[in-house]
Structures are given as structure tokens and as C-alpha cells.
Amino acid sequence: MTEIPEHLLKRSQARKQELSGDAAAASPATSGAAAPAVAARAVPAQPAAAPAPKAALPDPAYIASAKTRKKIPFWAMATLSLLPMWAFLYLLALQPKDEVVEGPMAIGAGVFGSCAGCHGAAGQGGAGRVLHEGEVLKTFPHIEDMLNFVYVGSQSFVAAEIPVYGNPDREGGAHAPLSYNGNPMPMQGQSAGGALTEYEILGVVCHVRYEIAGADPASEQWLEEYERWCSPESEIFAALESGATSFDSLDADFSMLMPEPPRAVGTKARPSAG
Ligand code: HEC
């Protein structure tokens, strides 16, 4: 008796209990409720069981294979260590894409919601003049004059006693302020009493010209204007958006504006350059 190790004794006791029908006590896994009872019974035997020669037991298969399995190959380490770098570059690459979505045309599509009530969702006209199918391009062959008109509205032209807005040689006749059922185009620019910032006005004017009126940005006629004012890369839009410039100082900041004849935008009603 003295030579039999404690853990073997314990094992035989457990086996006896199992055979005598006390299955729950012998194998705790079969019943959660029985587990505490087993633990309590096992406690006195534990101090002796602890020093049992563990090393003699062979590792279970899954541990043995984990120990012998090859770790991450050295060549893969190089690749894996570059992963954070890759993630960083990936995020960087995403940035310009976000800016494209924020260009003048994208902003303008949203702003046009405040014009659609009078001009129609497709610019087909209503309380306000027809804009679509090239109509507004006949009035404003130059974007500068359209920016100016949308900013200040018809009443400013009346007040400044400027008889026509836009192209005086307009196909189908020049447009005089209040010549459309006598209704005014409300001023939109903030310093004139309207609600729109200058970059929002540029955005909506780009949207009206290139989406609603149908100017083709790729055509010879419009390419230059589009690139300068309405493309996602437009420096003028970026400068207006950041507050680096305003309609009144545009020609000073942007020598790219055609000097002859002068076509400044401005926040006061101006005669069109035609
Ligand atoms: C309350 C109605 C109303 C709203 C809102 C309105 N407009 Fe007008 N718009 C008019 C009227 C009326 C005219 C004609 C003005 C005149 O005859 O003096 C006009 C004229 C225009 C013209 C000149 C068209 C031409 O060929 O003569 C443009 C461009 C224009 N609006 C753009 C806009 C834009 C862009 C917005 C939104 C930011 C807008 N309008 C919001 C009523 C409106």
C-alpha cells in the first residue's frame, strides 16, 4: 500500500465509483450540476497528486503538432512587416478620391435644390426662366457674367440702371431685368442679402451650365472654361472655398481671367462683356 502512488489510487477510486453507477461523480463533464461535488471530494487527494511525474505523459497530438509545426517562413515576414505601410499608402491613395466628390459640380447639384422650385428640377422653367437645352448659355456665353447675375439678382441691375443682363446680342433677344412675367431673380450672394457662399454659387452655376444646360466640358468651346472654373481641380473653386479669395478680388488673384475685355465677377451688378 505504501508503494502505490496517490494519483493511481485516486484513479482506481474514480473508476470504482463509475462502475458502481455514480457516473456523474466520476466524470464531471457529463453534468454541470455534479461538478462542485466532485471537486469537493477530490480536494483532499490533490496535494499528493500535484507532484506526479508529468513528463512521463506524451503530449496529445494537437500539442505535438503545434510544437513541430513550422512558424511563419522568414520570407513571408518581410511581406507581413510591410502590411502597415501598405495600409497607410492605401489610405493616402483614398484622399484625392474624396476631394473629387467635393468639387464644384458635386456641391452645385445639392445647391440647385434651392433653385428648382422656380426653375424646375430639370431647368425647364416655371416661376423662373428656362435654363435647360442651352438657353442659359445663350444669355451668358461667359461664366463670369452668370456668376455676377446669380450673386446680385435682377433688382440690383434695376437699381444700377443696367438695361440688360448677359449677352446684349443674345440670340432671340437680350434679357432685360424683370422681363420674365415681371418677376425678379432673387439675389443669392451673402453680401447682397442672399444665403449662398461664393463657392456655392460657383458650384451651382457650374451645375447649371454643364449638367442642366448641357455644355460639353470636353468640347473645344467649353473645355477651357470648365477646367478653370468647374473641374474638380479648379484653383478658383479651391481658393473661394478656403476663403483665400472672393468674387471681388478674383481678377487680381487669377491672371488667367481674360483681361480683354475685363470680365470680373464682382458682388455688384455689372454690365456684361458680351
Ligand atoms: C423665387 C424664384 C427663383 C429662385 C428661387 C431662383 N430663381 Fe433664377 N430666376 C427667377 C426669375 C423670375 C428669373 C428671371 C429674372 C428677370 O427677368 O429679371 C430668373 C433668372 C435666372 C437666370 C437668368 C436666365 C436667363 O437666361 O435670363 C439664371 C441664370 C438663374 N435665374 C439662376 C438661378 C439659380 C442658379 C438659382 C438658385 C441658386 C435661382 N435662379 C433661383 C426666379 C428664381
Side-chain angles (χ1 to χ4, degrees), residues 114-115 118-119 127 129 139 154 165 175 177-180 183-186:
S114 68
C115 323
C118 291
H119 288 282
R129 273 195 184 273
T139 313
S154 334
Y165 64 85
H175 284 176
L178 309 187
S179 65
Y180 187 72
N183 292 324
M185 161 71 195

Side-chain angles (χ1 to χ4, degrees), residues 130-141:
V130 175
L131 303 174
H132 74 173
E133 293 173 356
E135 282 302 307
V136 79
L137 300 170
K138 291 181 194 163
T139 313
F140 301 107

Side-chain angles (χ1 to χ4, degrees), residues 84-100:
M85 183 72 172
W86 173 84
F88 178 70
L89 288 176
Y90 180 74
L91 285 177
L92 269 189
L94 281 180
Q95 304 292 10
K97 233 179 170 182
D98 292 348
E99 275 166 29
V100 167

